[in-house]
Amino acid sequence: MRRLLPTAFSLALVLLGAALPALPASAQKVVRGETTYATRDDAMQFADDVAARRNLDRAWVRATIGNAHLLPNVPRLMLPAPRGTAKNWRVYRSRFIDPVRIGAGVRFWRANAATLARAEAEYGVPAEIIVGIVGVETIYGRTMGNFRVIDALATLSFDFPQGHPRAAERQAFFRGELESFLSTESRTAEDPMVPVGSYAGAMGMPQFMPSSIAKYAIDFDGDGRIDLVNNPTDVIGSVASYFKAFGWQPGIQPIYSVGFDEARLKKEVLLAPDILPSFSADSFVAGGAVLEGEALRHKGLLALVELQNGADAPSYVAGTQNFYVITRYNWSSYYAMSVIELGREVRAAMEN
């Protein structure tokens, strides 16, 4: 992998998939503890293990992790919402589909139209999906995070909240991301204490985690470096590369409208696989779903996607393989719908 410039480090909990939930300004404030991880035996043992596994300079790895600071306000941000908290698609949507993002999206699309067209031709990912991703993640580079990546990853590697229902799994994930970050940084002469990003260690306009940068980020303009902060061309190519790697199917809509024939409806059966496409169009209809037009001719599998609206009735769509691929960027059907709808709104604004 070519070098990601230090200025290009800045969520995807891509593989977590994260946008992580929008935070109030108070939660976005960087609060750095005074004690460094140099005082922690578990952190130094991890440094030694990484150095051995990756054949890195042991002193450099120990110094890099050792100079990281605990971010005391970050662990609680990883805790899930209290049990019983109602999901609300309309509220969630309102965070991401607004005049500011739509206007910024129009400017981004117009400024990068040729690059978006090239990415669609090479990877099969529509421009509106890429525009939707970058808009939802960072408002086209406006909000890329101000937490030092080394601090965020060290905090979540060694002080992940044990009250999380999947604490061991999530902590292991972040240790893997810290290792990936160190591996990439070790191949440069740059200061690993400089890169900044989200409170989870995600970076750049598309908010890629370190392992996703290593696997999917590309030098789409061919200038010999990957810059995910200042270079929209690399950003666009990298998002398209990510989606292709996760199975994006060119020419397939991510969602179709769906209704119900209450007399035949087997909603529990249709919802059982969650958002994983599991039904042919025929079996979907046999379960009481009502499809029209192109959806009836869809050759792939479908999923019934439920979007709760608080105390009001849920909304539903039929999700295709491409809807599922969007959720690999962030494992949330609400997130995927926001990406789709923001992209569509930007396209409509351009056409008007």
Side-chain angles (χ1 to χ4, degrees):
M1 172 190 151
R2 287 188 175 133
R3 167 67 183 150
L4 176 68
L5 294 180
T7 54
F9 281 89
S10 127
L11 205 42
L13 292 179
V14 149
L15 290 182
L16 309 175
L20 290 171
L23 298 176
S26 60
Q28 297 179 38
K29 182 180 179 181
V30 178
V31 179
R32 186 175 294 129
E34 294 184 3
T35 304
T36 68
Y37 280 99
T39 63
R40 290 273 295 270
D41 291 342
D42 57 342
M44 292 299 94
Q45 182 59 59
F46 178 80
D48 291 344
D49 293 343
V50 168
R53 273 196 303 272
R54 299 274 185 161
N55 194 28
L56 304 179
D57 180 81
R58 178 174 176 267
W60 179 86
V61 177
R62 287 175 68 91
T64 301
I65 293 179
N67 283 321
H69 288 253
L70 170 70
L71 301 177
N73 61 331
V74 163
R76 63 182 176 82
L77 298 176
M78 286 292 157
L79 293 173
R83 187 177 296 274
T85 302
K87 296 180 180 179
N88 193 315
W89 160 234
R90 284 190 291 267
V91 172
Y92 188 98
R93 183 186 188 279
S94 70
R95 298 175 184 171
F96 303 106
I97 317 299
D98 59 36
V100 171
R101 281 183 213 258
I102 293 169
V106 169
R107 292 188 291 274
F108 181 85
W109 195 327
R110 286 176 176 164
N112 300 285
T115 301
L116 287 162
R118 179 162 70 93
E120 184 166 354
E122 294 184 17
Y123 292 97
V125 183
E128 66 186 57
I129 297 297
I130 298 172
V131 169
I133 285 285
V134 182
V136 167
E137 289 292 342
T138 62
I139 319 180
Y140 308 98
R142 292 189 190 182
T143 58
M144 292 183 285
N146 57 351
F147 294 81
R148 285 201 318 186
V149 172
I150 188 65
D151 293 338
L153 294 177
T155 295
L156 294 171
S157 292
F158 308 117
D159 287 287
F160 194 87
Q162 295 308 297
H164 192 287
R166 295 186 294 131
E169 177 186 349
R170 304 313 295 142
Q171 186 167 19
F173 169 82
F174 283 105
R175 288 192 176 195
E177 294 301 324
L178 176 57
E179 181 169 337
S180 183
F181 175 77
L182 291 166
S183 179
T184 299
E185 286 296 296
S186 71
R187 298 194 294 274
T188 78
E190 307 297 341
D191 184 353
M193 313 310 291
V194 170
V196 295
S198 78
Y199 65 84
M203 299 168 267
M205 286 190 217
Q207 292 289 270
F208 272 19
M209 293 298 285
S211 65
S212 291
I213 292 169
K215 293 176 184 177
Y216 311 116
I218 62 172
D219 172 19
F220 203 43
D221 67 355
D223 68 352
R225 58 182 185 173
I226 298 172
D227 181 349
L228 297 184
V229 164
N230 300 304
N231 189 334
T233 299
D234 287 353
V235 170
I236 289 165
S238 296
V239 172
S241 166
Y242 182 90
F243 277 128
K244 182 177 181 180
F246 278 82
W248 185 272
Q249 299 177 352
I252 302 297
Q253 290 190 40
I255 58 172
Y256 295 110
S257 297
V258 62
F260 298 121
D261 179 347
E262 297 293 341
R264 297 184 295 112
L265 182 59
K266 301 174 182 176
K267 188 181 290 185
E268 290 186 2
V269 173
L270 295 177
L271 287 173
D274 198 18
I275 59 176
L276 178 67
S278 304
F279 303 96
S280 67
D282 288 343
S283 63
F284 207 55
V285 170
V290 177
L291 301 174
E292 297 179 350
E294 186 179 348
L296 288 170
R297 298 186 292 274
H298 182 70
K299 301 300 183 183
L301 299 179
L302 297 169
L304 180 61
V305 178
E306 181 180 73
L307 301 164
Q308 298 176 21
N309 288 307
D312 296 331
S315 304
Y316 296 91
V317 295
T320 69
Q321 170 65 19
N322 284 348
F323 182 86
Y324 187 74
V325 170
I326 298 173
T327 67
R328 301 309 86 190
Y329 205 100
N330 179 313
W331 293 2
S332 164
S333 55
Y334 298 79
Y335 173 89
M337 284 297 299
S338 293
V339 168
I340 293 165
E341 295 208 0
L342 178 58
R344 289 178 173 180
E345 291 286 346
V346 172
R347 178 185 286 279
M350 289 183 58
E351 292 173 351
N352 292 333

